[in-house]
Amino acid sequence: MSLGSITERAPRTGPSTAKWVGGTIVALLLWGLVYSQLVPFSQWVVSLAPIDPKSHLGEALSFFVYDTPKVLMLLTLVVFGMGVVRSFFSPEKTRALLAGKREGAGNVLAAGLGVLTPFCSCSAVPMFIGFVSAGVPLGVTFSFLISAPMVNEVALGLLFGLVGWKVALTYLGFGLFVAITAGWVIGRLHLENWLEEWVRNIRASAAELPPEDVTAVDRIKTGIEAVREIVGKVWPWIIAGIAIGALIHGYVPSDLLASIMGQGAWWSVPAAVLIGIPMYSNAAGIIPVVQALLAKGAALGTVLAFMMSVIALSVPEMIILRKVLSLKLIAVFVGVVGTGILGVGLLFNLLFN
Amino acid sequence: MKDVKVLGPGCKRCVATAEMVQAEADRLGVPVTIEKVTDYAAIAGYGIASTPGVVVDGKVVHAGGLPKPEHLATWLGA
């Protein structure tokens, strides 16, 4: 899409571009160097404390000292990378791509674009109206709106770094699956009449925006801006999450946790979803807890279901969406997405026994 | 007199965008009227999908995120 227009233009490599790109490469190399030294560094810090490293407190402390810089560094890298990738996508381009798409293929495309298109939560309503009024089918619009928070780049990056690529890919795959099927189901139900009336009446054509002129430097700046904004906002959540994770690591007996959240306890998945829906946190605070739970023998499906319901079904988002959706439609939305998450959790525990 | 509308439900970026336009207009000495459009139906009527949006003399010039400083002068210039 916008990639084409960029390669067509003669690259503008002035001294400023070289400086920015060079600086970025140096920063990435430095990142790698510091990251590779985190294990010895944390061992050294913990050895300074007058605590038996084998004690509960010692284990909690070493988890905290190692994970805090690790998680913050990984998050910075992932958010920067996503910021750069997302500078290639915009809601307007996404809408143009999805307008008039049929259901089915449209749901798949919408779910994929939901991961890549940047928008802030205060844009959710204008975007919803913009999509529907431009002729994007309701179910396809929902696939987009579900996958955007469900497959969260912060969650994806942190899972990749902390728990491993298999879990990260599973999360990505199941998140997309839930967004595609939930959107498809909502589309099949033909609930257009449940939109607020004024939304149904808007038939807007897409605005003719002036062509973008986005340089490599702009993209790097977008990435840095994303880091400033997201990491600047979520770091207290992360530290709180790691502290909770550290306590779980040091103090919660594995047997107890495995019996509550392990594969044997089938009811733990619905319980995790029900507890997760009213909870409002962000991925950054949840993942360190997820890592600690998994290490203590919790089942992956249960933990993923909990994480997804916390991230994807939040009360503030529903309050925002209430402006355009009737309560009935919001209930359907929560029901369909919740069922999808539940199914994914149960299936996953069954498959990976 | 330039007629500028800032489209957005009233989040931080929308306020910042209006301030940027005002500051640039003051710097250039261009008289402007800045109107904040917060009504969702009106915003959608302009055909943008992400906010903040900027409309200059009835024409949509920007959507999504803070505008670039160098663009402000172009919008207010001609």
Side-chain angles (χ1 to χ4, degrees), chain A residues 92 95 122-123 218 229 323, chain B residues 11 13 40 47 49-51 68:
Chain A
E92 280 74 21
R95 178 179 61 179
C122 66
S123 262
D218 291 332
E229 199 167 290
K323 292 216 158 68
Chain B
C11 53
R13 286 169 193 263
Y40 284 120
S50 54
T51 57
K68 284 205 234 172

Side-chain angles (χ1 to χ4, degrees), chain A residues 85-102:
Chain A
V85 169
R86 284 183 164 182
S87 69
F88 291 93
F89 296 84
S90 77
E92 280 74 21
K93 285 181 205 154
T94 299
R95 178 179 61 179
L97 272 176
L98 291 177
K101 278 281 179 313
R102 294 244 293 283

Side-chain angles (χ1 to χ4, degrees), chain B:
Chain B
M1 180 69 90
K2 287 273 172 192
D3 171 48
V4 178
K5 291 188 174 65
V6 176
L7 315 176
C11 53
K12 224 164 69 184
R13 286 169 193 263
C14 313
V15 177
T17 302
E19 282 167 3
M20 282 172 78
V21 175
Q22 184 67 64
E24 184 68 12
D26 290 347
R27 197 179 68 82
L28 295 170
V30 176
V32 285
T33 54
I34 298 178
E35 188 194 339
K36 286 181 193 161
V37 178
T38 55
D39 178 50
Y40 284 120
I43 293 171
Y46 282 100
I48 65 164
S50 54
T51 57
V54 178
V55 178
V56 179
D57 289 339
K59 193 172 167 14
V60 179
V61 293
H62 174 77
L66 293 173
K68 284 205 234 172
E70 60 265 33
H71 286 169
L72 291 170
T74 322
W75 300 339
L76 296 170

